[in-house]
Amino acid sequence: MPTVTIDGRRVTVREGAYVLEAARLAGARIPALCHHEAVEPIGACRLCVVDIWKPGWDADSFRLVASCLYPVEEGLVVHTATPRVMETRRVALDLLLARCPETPLVRDLAREYGIEETTYRKRENPDDCILCGLCTRICDKVGPAAISTQSRGVLREVAPPFFEAPPDCIGCGACAEVCPTGHIKVTEDGFTRTIWGKTFEMLRCPSCGRAYLTRAQAEWMAGRGMPVEPLCDSCKRRRTAEVAASLGRPR
Amino acid sequence: MDPVAVDLAPLDGILARYPAEESSLIQVLQDVQRHYRYLPRPALERVAKALGVPLARVCSVATFYKAFSLVPPGEHVVHVCMGTACHIRGAPQVLDELWRRIAPDANGDTADRRFTIKAVNCVGACAAAPVVIVDGRYHGGVQATKVAKVVGLEEGGRAS
Ligand code: SF4
Ligand code: FES
Ligand code: FES
């Protein structure tokens, strides 16, 4: 397992980890808006930049990399808050703020880096999407890949095919769950869930009666031979706790 | 929606040329674009099924590349070269003039579907700059004053 130095602290991390993971292990605070453990990194937001140095390099030649997708290796030296790291993050945040001038998450993070208002021209009719791509990546990984990014450049946006209710969507809500800004809206009324303009029938937890899963998702999972959880999350937790308690009772 | 029903029969031939897998997607879309001159929605839906690629991903690719279009082109397609040589010799003015004369939407399509205008990068005929291509036919030395004629808006043009 490689040992790396993060801001002067040596940490040993698992083989195949990325620098971000190692840095967090060492207690460094690094903003990372497009990162999520459940999906592969794509380096979209550039907020997680750090300075790195490798054995064999000139003593003063550091390189800026996106820590979320830079693999650790033995002897790597990482600085997570050098002046140019902070400046690079500031530029990225300034740009993000121009894209999403009203989005609380972006505003708060920008403020932490000393930016109240963007120095660029604000996007007209902004929404809360920062194009981190977490929603499309999670849908690709755990769902039917019902949404994706459309177009490119300034026109790029997350949308279902033809900007209509997505035919493949099973209403699992994973995209809304991972969306860091709350851009993806889900509404539930106890019987149905609506997301991406599509309304789904909900199944009820046989133990507590709470609507916990769309019928479409249950069928999709069954069709793939995946076990469908028969209880909602809180009943499942309670049941596990009960089992644990009965096993752990002192004699 | 497509203005006319699309004949999907030619798709079978196109799909038969490539292995039914995700890596064939761009080649298939290129052939579909060549055949229909755009990517009709029912064709995209068929391609998604046939190659086993999620429709969302097909749409993502179809909207990413400039070579693909989801709407049928106008009767005449006009490419205005914006490469370096053409740029220096007045291509921006040519494009402005054309844009002013036929007033297309942001995609370069006119409401009457007569024209589609596209700004493109160097088309490899720099010696003849500025270059305008009308329905695949190259015209060199097309200054802003001449462009209306070249695309057939005025007497003596070729495209009308
Ligand atoms: S909708 Fe949310 S998760 Fe998807 S790209 Fe935009 S900000 Fe990221
Ligand atoms: S978290 Fe690394 S680029 Fe977004
Ligand atoms: S720049 Fe127009 S043909 Fe080369």
Side-chain angles (χ1 to χ4, degrees), chain B residues 81-87 121-127 129-131:
Chain B
C81 180
M82 286 285 154
T84 312
C86 292
H87 201 276
N121 291 325
C122 181
V123 296
C126 305
V131 176

